Amino acid sequence: MFDEFMPSGSHVDYQTPTTPDLENIVADAIRAKAKIEPSLLQRYQRLVCMCLYAVTMVAAEAAWAVGMLTRCLAYPSHATLLAAERVLIYLHLAHVRGKLKITYKRTETKMMGARLLKGSSDASFQVEHSTTGYEFHLAMAAVSWCVKKQTTIALFSSESELKAASLAACEAIFLRGMLTDDLGLPQYAATVLLVDNTGAIDIAKDPVHHYKTRHILRRDLFIRELVERGEIKVVYVKSSANAADIFTKHLDHVTFKKHRAVLLNIPA
């Protein structure tokens, strides 16, 4: 990818794949809907789609950047093209030259904690359609992650966090079934899902604030059933310790490296 799009190399060194104003750049491109030259449009679409494959398979920490850039595939701007090129340069520097990779750690089967699935979820309430992000861990590193634009507009932050937690809970059920039926690793305890919003946790455990939550779709309350059945255990975690934060917003270099280390199981 780097040889195709940057044949002359790069003279910059990016420590993170995003800039603080990425959300505004994408929002401006969507509102403007300005057409750029066909060659630049093709370059942007091909670059973003190739980066999408990379972050889906190996580079989880850059998933939010690519997820935001996919929102304006039809009407990119020169600014979004530069943002996409930044992601490519970061991927090359970190995963090719820096040789970063997901590292799973083999553990003794008698250590039940090492065989249990655990995850975290987060949501961004800063854009019109909130962003859902989640990740699940097994063998000390991430085995599943997702960045997704929420299909409906949340009216308050706890609702967007609840939507993210419910989507993550659905993924947890799928992974629990696969681990039990296909890999012979039954999950004897509830899967812990870390959430950094107390309001969303309260709604997931009990139908509180009914007058505020009566509009929420049935599917977004599925997590409540999973909690009652003992398959999911929602636990509060501070935002600074929530690894899923990396999937919903731009982070400073220090915080980004800390969460990336958790996902990839590498030194921070």
Side-chain angles (χ1 to χ4, degrees):
M1 289 172 56
F2 188 80
D3 292 340
E4 176 182 344
F5 292 99
M6 303 284 179
S8 59
S10 173
H11 302 289
V12 291
D13 186 359
Y14 295 127
Q15 299 298 315
T16 62
T18 61
T19 57
D21 59 346
L22 179 61
E23 291 174 336
N24 294 330
I25 291 174
V26 172
D28 291 342
I30 294 174
R31 283 193 295 265
K33 292 186 177 180
K35 294 184 178 180
I36 62 175
E37 298 103 10
S39 59
L40 293 182
L41 177 63
Q42 182 181 14
R43 176 182 175 86
Y44 179 81
Q45 292 177 339
R46 179 170 172 78
L47 174 56
V48 171
C49 289
M50 293 178 73
C51 286
L52 181 61
Y53 176 80
V55 300
T56 301
M57 301 303 295
V58 294
E61 76 277 11
W64 177 73
V66 179
M68 290 300 299
L69 293 172
T70 59
R71 296 193 180 192
C72 56
L73 276 177
Y75 299 99
S77 63
H78 290 278
T80 57
L81 178 59
L82 292 177
E85 292 174 346
R86 178 190 176 105
V87 174
L88 175 61
I89 294 172
Y90 164 80
L91 292 176
H92 175 71
L93 293 174
H95 287 266
V96 179
R97 288 175 52 184
K99 298 182 179 180
L100 291 184
K101 59 183 179 181
I102 302 176
T103 304
Y104 299 103
K105 183 178 180 182
R106 183 176 181 179
T107 54
E108 297 295 333
T109 56
K110 64 181 180 180
M111 297 173 59
M112 294 305 301
R115 302 175 59 184
L116 293 180
L117 186 71
K118 60 180 180 179
S120 60
S121 70
D122 190 42
S124 170
F125 193 60
Q126 303 302 316
V127 291
E128 182 176 349
H129 283 267
S130 301
T131 303
T132 287
Y134 67 74
E135 59 84 26
F136 285 94
H137 260 61
L138 193 70
M140 307 297 292
V143 294
S144 176
W145 57 87
C146 174
V147 173
K148 186 177 180 64
K149 182 178 77 171
Q150 295 184 1
T151 56
T152 57
I153 298 177
L155 301 184
F156 49 94
S157 59
S158 294
E159 181 182 351
S160 65
E161 294 278 359
L162 180 65
K163 291 174 181 288
S166 290
L167 187 63
C170 293
E171 178 70 5
I173 295 303
F174 164 74
L175 293 174
R176 286 171 64 92
M178 183 178 66
L179 290 170
T180 301
D181 299 336
D182 299 336
L183 301 180
L185 296 175
Q187 302 296 290
Y188 297 106
T191 297
V192 173
L193 180 64
L194 302 178
V195 177
D196 58 11
N197 186 284
T198 56
I201 295 175
D202 291 339
I203 297 172
K205 292 182 178 180
D206 186 62
V208 296
H209 307 303
H210 176 66
Y211 71 98
K212 290 185 178 180
T213 59
R214 64 182 65 177
H215 67 283
I216 298 178
L217 296 176
R218 183 72 179 84
R219 62 171 296 175
D220 295 326
L221 294 176
F222 180 52
I223 188 173
R224 188 182 297 166
E225 293 185 14
L226 299 178
V227 171
E228 292 175 352
R229 282 157 43 181
E231 297 186 64
I232 299 294
K233 181 180 180 181
V234 185
V235 177
Y236 174 76
V237 63
K238 293 183 178 179
S239 295
S240 58
N242 188 0
D245 259 13
I246 204 171
F247 299 124
T248 59
K249 59 182 73 71
H250 169 80
L251 302 174
D252 62 82
H253 182 214
V254 175
T255 307
F256 176 81
K257 286 186 64 178
K258 181 180 72 173
H259 291 329
R260 182 181 67 181
V262 173
L263 293 175
L264 305 183
N265 189 26
I266 59 174

